[in-house]
Structures are given as structure tokens and as C-alpha cells.
Amino acid sequence: MSRARLPLAALSLASASALLLAGCSQSSDASKAAGDKAAPAAAATGTKPAPFSKGKVKVALVRQSGAGDYFEQWGNGAKAQAKALGIDLTVYDAQADNAKQATDLSSAINSGAQAIIVDHGFPATIQPEIDKAVKKGIKVVVYDVETTNKSVISTKQDDASMAQAVLDVMGDELGKGAKVGYVNVAGYAALDKRDSVWKKTADANGWKQEFKVGKVTDSTATDNVPLVSAALTQHSDVAGVFAPYDELAKGTVLAVQNKKLQDKVKVFGADVSNADIQNMTAKGSPWVATAGTDPSAVGAAVVRTTALELAGQLNKSSVEFPAVAITQDFLKSKGIENMDQLRKALPALNLSKVSTADWIANVAH
């Protein structure tokens, strides 16, 4: 690869629009710690259009899971932006229970919400309720959900580009013909897209996939440690492992360390949060590359997208959020320990110009 020896984070500054990621995460309270401060709202200067000119606007946020560092930050950004816009936001959290998410969506439809944001979820269980909401005239905005309803606004990140960025680094680190491991789960739109890139890249590099394991639960990182540990017991000679979701990457890192293979096995993940930064920069960490967005900024941007759709000003059916790619070397060289420091070091994380208008009090880092 021609850009092989450039630090991936430096590359992302030059071409951030090409690197996109679907953020997913579950497991930490690090978002409550220093280094994840809520951004103040930039003052609105324009006149509010209907329905915002008539007082509080009722919106529901229906989440497949709000647990963990990344999603807590995403939710904090959404709540801050809703407050700045005068939105009465009701949040439903299914806690990774797909049946409950469908029930929550039904409750949101019957709550009188003028718009519903659906954050992740399985189309098979929520598509019928999405269709009901649209039929009732409710504006529906989905984040990282594949939907067949043409009236739904889709917000997402380009998982294929994100995965390729990290896998390009993996190719540089491991070379051709390496033995590798893979930790992923089928059925999630973002992870399925990343899987397609993995298959093509692994084949192009002649990598020998020694194992594939993985599952998503409400404690994904912890629950994947024994799965990856067992795989590494049988295949301790792998040079690297691709785990394209930060909770899967965290579990993989723990397994590699438990097997005392951190000097031999490199981990390539996805997403970025306070906990991820701490994990990557810890002494002896095998997690060497990731890619991500600012979850707080993304949550805020999804709410702004919803507001523009309610006001009849969006004029598009989909919105994508740019991400940056990040290496362990970059984090360490810049002394980055948390998201606030990362935002300053990588201005490309800022989404203040995405889905905005002069009447919107913009919450963005």
C-alpha cells in the first residue's frame, strides 16, 4: 500500500471524509470521568420554523442498547442537542433485547411523538413497527439500521471504508500469508459490512484465518474473553486478530494478555472512546489500530438531522458522518489519554457543519 508507512491518524487528517465508521460499544463508565465534557451549544441566530416555533417538540429515542462508554457518550450528545433545540426527548433502552426494542418502538408510536430515532437494532424485529410509525405520519430517523421503508431517513457511517482503513494497517503490520484470527458476529448491519471487507482483504493478502469466534451480549467484552482465549489456546501462532467492534476488541485484548501473547499477537479493532483510548495506550497493550467518530458529536448530529426533517429542511434521505483512523503510536506520541484531548489533536472529529442551520443551537465538539 502506497500510504503504508504514514501514521494512520495523520492520513485521516488529509482524507477524513473517506474514513467512516459505525460506532458500537457497551462496557464502561469511563464516559462519566474527566475527558468527556459536554460541549456548549453554539447560539442560534435564525428564526425557528414550525414545529419548533410552537414550543416543545416531542421526540422518542429507541435504542437497541445504551450500555457502555461509547453509547453513553452517544446518548449524552443526543440529549444535550435535544435540550438545546427545545426537544422533549423520551429515551427507551432495550438493553440488547431485540423483542423489547420492538415493544419500545410500539410504545414510542403510541406516545404522541412527532419523530422517532431508532438507534441500532435488527430489521426483522423492528421493521414492522417502523412501517407503522411512518404510516401514522411520524418522522422516523434510523442510525445504523437497514430499512426497506423509503420514507425513513438513514444516518450511518461507511463501515466498508472504515474497515479497509484499519485492514490496510493490518496488512502493513503483518504482510502477506500471515496466520490470523477473526472475532465478529453476523446479523448486525455495521458488522456485516465490515465482514465483507475482511473477506476480500484477507483473500487479497493470502491470510490464513485460523479461527472465527464472537458474540454480542449486554456484556460483550467480558463474554468474548473465554471464546478468544480458547481459540488462542489452539492457535497461539496467529500474528494478528481483527475484531471490528470495540467491545469485541476489548475482549480480544484481555484474552491475548491472559494467554501472555501480547508480544506476539497484534489486535486491530474499531471505534474510539475514553475506555478504548485507555486500553490502547496501556503499557504492553496489543491493540495497535482503530478508527472512529466522536460518539457525542454523532449523537448530537443525529438529533439535528431529525430536527431538520421535522422542519422540512433536510432535503435528503441519508446522512453519513465522517470518521478518522487512529493508531496506538499516534495516541502515545501525542500523549492522548481521553476524548477531549483526541478532539483537540484531530479536528476532523468535529461534526459542527453536519446537519445544521442558523436556527439550530448547535452542540458539537
Side-chain angles (χ1 to χ4, degrees):
M1 183 183 69
S2 60
R3 58 195 183 194
R5 300 307 166 193
L6 287 174
L8 188 52
L11 167 66
S12 69
L13 286 171
S15 58
S17 61
L19 302 176
L20 309 168
L21 168 72
C24 329
S25 184
Q26 288 175 311
S27 72
S28 156
D29 291 327
S31 63
K32 299 174 184 176
D36 183 38
K37 301 172 184 175
T45 58
T47 302
K48 290 183 179 181
F52 296 92
S53 58
K54 301 176 181 179
K56 289 280 187 180
V57 175
K58 190 174 179 62
V59 175
L61 170 57
V62 180
R63 313 191 71 183
Q64 202 263 352
S65 175
D69 190 41
Y70 184 98
F71 278 138
E72 285 176 4
Q73 292 178 61
W74 194 103
N76 289 341
K79 291 172 186 175
Q81 185 64 76
K83 182 178 180 181
L85 276 163
I87 287 175
D88 178 7
L89 185 69
T90 301
V91 181
Y92 300 82
D93 184 353
Q95 298 180 322
D97 183 330
N98 297 314
K100 185 177 185 302
Q101 189 182 19
T103 300
D104 286 346
L105 187 46
S106 179
S107 297
I109 292 170
N110 296 323
S111 71
Q114 293 165 265
I116 298 174
I117 300 169
V118 182
D119 172 24
H120 286 82
F122 280 88
T125 54
I126 60 177
Q127 186 64 58
E129 298 301 326
I130 288 175
D131 292 338
K132 289 178 185 177
V134 170
K135 191 173 182 179
K136 287 192 67 172
I138 299 170
K139 300 294 185 182
V140 178
V141 176
V142 299
Y143 177 68
D144 262 345
V145 176
E146 295 293 332
T147 175
T148 57
N149 196 306
K150 302 298 183 182
S151 297
V152 172
I153 303 301
S154 174
T155 63
K156 59 185 177 180
Q157 299 149 68
D158 187 342
D159 295 282
S161 296
M162 180 281 302
Q164 191 63 64
V166 177
L167 288 171
D168 283 348
V169 177
M170 187 171 176
D172 292 335
E173 293 282 344
L174 305 186
K176 302 286 186 179
K179 292 183 178 180
V180 296
Y182 186 37
V183 184
N184 201 0
V185 181
Y188 290 86
L191 298 183
D192 287 345
K193 291 173 185 175
R194 298 173 193 185
D195 177 67
S196 295
V197 178
W198 163 256
K199 290 174 180 175
K200 293 177 182 177
T201 306
D203 182 65
N205 282 285
W207 291 337
K208 301 171 184 177
Q209 182 178 305
E210 298 295 302
F211 65 81
K212 179 184 177 183
V213 297
K215 62 180 178 180
V216 171
T217 68
D218 205 35
S219 300
T220 299
T222 301
D223 292 342
N224 276 276
V225 174
L227 298 180
V228 181
S229 292
L232 289 172
T233 297
Q234 297 182 49
H235 305 285
S236 61
D237 57 344
V238 296
V241 180
F242 183 45
Y245 163 27
D246 65 346
E247 294 303 312
L248 296 174
K250 290 174 188 175
T252 300
V253 166
L254 286 171
V256 169
Q257 293 172 329
N258 288 346
K259 302 301 293 185
K260 301 187 184 305
L261 294 171
Q262 56 266 39
D263 293 331
K264 299 179 180 179
V265 180
K266 296 179 179 181
V267 177
F268 301 83
D271 305 319
V272 64
S273 67
N274 287 331
D276 297 339
I277 291 170
Q278 292 162 15
N279 200 315
M280 290 180 70
T281 58
K283 184 177 180 180
S285 173
W287 189 351
V288 298
T290 192
T293 58
D294 176 352
S296 178
V298 171
V302 171
V303 172
R304 294 197 302 274
T305 300
T306 305
L308 289 173
E309 176 65 4
L310 278 166
Q313 296 181 5
L314 185 61
N315 302 319
K316 60 178 70 176
S317 60
S318 65
V319 178
E320 289 188 341
F321 307 117
V324 296
I326 303 153
T327 64
Q328 182 188 75
D329 286 345
F330 176 81
L331 294 173
K332 289 184 174 181
S333 68
K334 298 295 184 180
I336 295 170
E337 299 178 350
N338 56 52
M339 286 299 299
D340 278 346
Q341 294 172 350
L342 183 61
R343 290 171 187 125
K344 292 176 182 177
L346 291 178
L349 287 170
N350 191 308
L351 299 180
S352 61
K353 295 182 180 180
V354 177
S355 292
T356 192
D358 61 4
W359 56 270
I360 293 177
N362 193 320
V363 174
H365 291 281

